[in-house]
C-alpha cells in the first residue's frame, strides 16, 4: 500500500523568500489531514505544490503513482479538474450564476448535459443543506451558505482529494462548525481525502491527523491512521 498523494523533500523559493525548505507530506484515501502552522510558514505553498497548481523547485509529488511535480501543464491541469476539488476562503463562486448553476458548472465544463448536471448539483446542494438557495445568486446568500455551496461545487465531480485552504476563515464559529461538519461527513461517505489548511485548532479538530509546518518544514506528524 502506498499513500494516495505524497510530497517528498519539497523546496520552493519566491525570490529571496524560502517558502518550502524540505517539506514532506502524505495522505491516504479517505483521510482528513490538517496542515497547521503560523501565518507565513508555508502551508498554502505546500497545498499548491501538492495540488499541482505550482511546481516546486525540487522534490517529488506523487499522486496515484504519477509524479505530478514534473508533469507537463496539460495533463497536470486535466488531473486537477478530474481528480481534485478546491475550496478556498472567499470569492470562488461566479457571481452572475445562481448557486445551482455554480455547482453544475464543473460538470457542464466536463461535457455533462444540463439536465443531468443540474440534477446532480441539486443533490449536492441538498447534502450540504443549502437546497433552499438553489435559485439565488451568491450575493444573496450568507457567508456560511456560500461556503456550503462552494463545498457542493468542489464535491460534485466526486474528487479523490479535496484541497481546502482556510475554508472557514471568513465565517463566525457557528457557521464554521456547520461547514466543517458537512464537509467532513460528506467526504467520509465518498472516501474523498481532504488536505485541510488551517491555523485554527478547532478546525483542525475535525481531522484524522495533523501535520505542522514551520519555516517551510513539516516538523511533526502524528501517527498515520490508515482508514
Ligand atoms: P501560509 O499559508 O502558512 O501563510 P504561504 O505558503 O502563503 O504561508 O507563504 C510562505 C512564505 O512564502 C511567506 O513568506 C510568503 O510571503 C511567501 N510567498 C508565498 N507565495 C508567494 C508568492 N506568490 N510570491 C512571493 N512570496 C510568496
Ligand atoms: P485550467 O486552466 O486547466 O482550467 P486552472 O489553472 O484554471 O485550470 O485551475 C484548476 C483548479 O485549480 C481550479 O479549481 C482553480 O480554482 C485552482 N487554482 C488555479 N490557480 C490557483 C491559484 N493560484 N490558487 C489557488 N487555486 C488555484
Amino acid at each position: 500500500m502506498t499513500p494516495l498523494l505524497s510530497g517528498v523533500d519539497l523546496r520552493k523559493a519566491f525570490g529571496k523568500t524560502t517558502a518550502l525548505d524540505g517539506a514532506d507530506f502524505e495522505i491516504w484515501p479517505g483521510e482528513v489531514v490538517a496542515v497547521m502552522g503560523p501565518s507565513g510558514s508555508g502551508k498554502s505553498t505546500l497545498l499548491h505544490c501538492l495540488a499541482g497548481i505550482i511546481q516546486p523547485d525540487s522534490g517529488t509529488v506523487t499522486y496515484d503513482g504519477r509524479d505530478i511535480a514534473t508533469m507537463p501543464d496539460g495533463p497536470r491541469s486535466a488531473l486537477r479538474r478530474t481528480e481534485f476539488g478546491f475550496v478556498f476562503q472567499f470569492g470562488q463562486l461566479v457571481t452572475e450564476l445562481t448557486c445551482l448553476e455554480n455547482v453544475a458548472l464543473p460538470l457542464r465544463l466536463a461535457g455533462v448535459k444540463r439536465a443531468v448536471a443540474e440534477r446532480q448539483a441539486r443533490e449536492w446542494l441538498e447534502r450540504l443543506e443549502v437546497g433552499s438557495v438553489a435559485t439565488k445568486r451568491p450575493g444573496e446568500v450568507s457567508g456560511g451558505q456560500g461556503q456550503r455551496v462552494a463545498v457542493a461545487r468542489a464535491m460534485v465531480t466526486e474528487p479523490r482529494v479535496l484541497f481546502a485552504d482556510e475554508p472557514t476563515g471568513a465565517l463566525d464559529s457557528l457557521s464554521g462548525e456547520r461547514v466543517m461538519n458537512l464537509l467532513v461527513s460528506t467526504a467520509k461517505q465518498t472516501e474523498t481525502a481532504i488536505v485541510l489548511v488551517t491555523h485554527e485548532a478547532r478546525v483542525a479538530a475535525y481531522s484524522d491527523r495533523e501535520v505542522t509546518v514551520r519555516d517551510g518544514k513539516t516538523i511533526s506528524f502524528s501517527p498515520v491512521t490508515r482508514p
Side-chain angles (χ1 to χ4, degrees):
M1 288 274 285
T2 53
L4 179 60
L5 174 68
S6 62
V8 176
D9 199 20
L10 298 175
R11 292 170 193 275
K12 178 74 185 179
F14 296 101
K16 290 195 171 115
T17 305
T18 301
L20 292 181
D21 191 20
D24 299 307
F25 182 88
E26 63 176 47
I27 190 166
W28 294 73
E31 200 185 14
V32 179
V33 178
V35 179
M36 300 204 62
S39 175
S41 56
K43 302 182 297 294
S44 296
T45 305
L46 176 62
L47 180 145
H48 291 156
C49 287
L50 294 168
I53 291 168
I54 61 174
Q55 290 191 314
D57 299 331
S58 67
T60 54
V61 178
T62 308
Y63 171 73
D64 205 14
R66 287 169 278 178
D67 180 0
I68 62 172
T70 56
M71 195 181 271
D73 282 350
R76 198 153 49 97
S77 144
L79 187 130
R80 267 205 310 275
R81 278 193 308 263
T82 56
E83 313 272 309
F84 297 165
F86 296 89
V87 179
F88 300 107
Q89 188 169 351
F90 323 94
Q92 33 198 332
L93 299 172
V94 181
T95 52
E96 295 78 11
L97 299 180
T98 65
C99 289
L100 182 73
E101 288 164 344
N102 263 281
V103 177
L105 189 60
L107 296 174
R108 297 288 288 145
L109 293 174
V112 176
K113 286 200 167 67
R114 178 188 288 271
V116 176
E118 293 198 346
R119 194 180 67 234
Q120 289 179 17
R122 191 169 289 279
E123 278 169 22
W124 275 99
L125 283 172
E126 277 159 17
R127 284 174 93 151
L128 274 300
E129 299 176 5
V130 275
S132 62
V133 304
T135 58
K136 294 192 170 158
R137 285 174 212 279
E140 301 167 323
V141 307
S142 73
Q145 288 172 333
Q147 280 305 76
R148 282 182 277 140
V149 173
V151 171
R153 191 179 63 175
M155 293 293 289
V156 76
T157 53
E158 301 188 6
R160 293 186 70 199
V161 187
L162 181 74
F163 293 91
D165 195 348
E166 302 282 3
T168 64
L171 304 179
D172 62 56
S173 58
L174 206 65
S175 337
E177 274 175 35
R178 193 137 181 239
V179 169
M180 286 310 303
N181 269 318
L182 289 161
L183 175 61
V184 170
S185 65
T186 54
K188 289 291 174 194
Q189 286 160 17
T190 52
E191 267 233 309
T192 302
I194 305 180
V195 179
L196 171 65
V197 166
T198 181
H199 64 277
E200 292 183 87
R202 65 161 191 270
V203 174
Y206 288 89
S207 69
D208 300 315
R209 188 159 62 85
E210 294 177 14
V211 169
T212 303
V213 180
R214 196 147 296 163
D215 298 331
K217 295 182 176 73
T218 37
I219 58 164
S220 76
F221 267 113
S222 49
V224 174
T225 51
R226 293 184 193 174

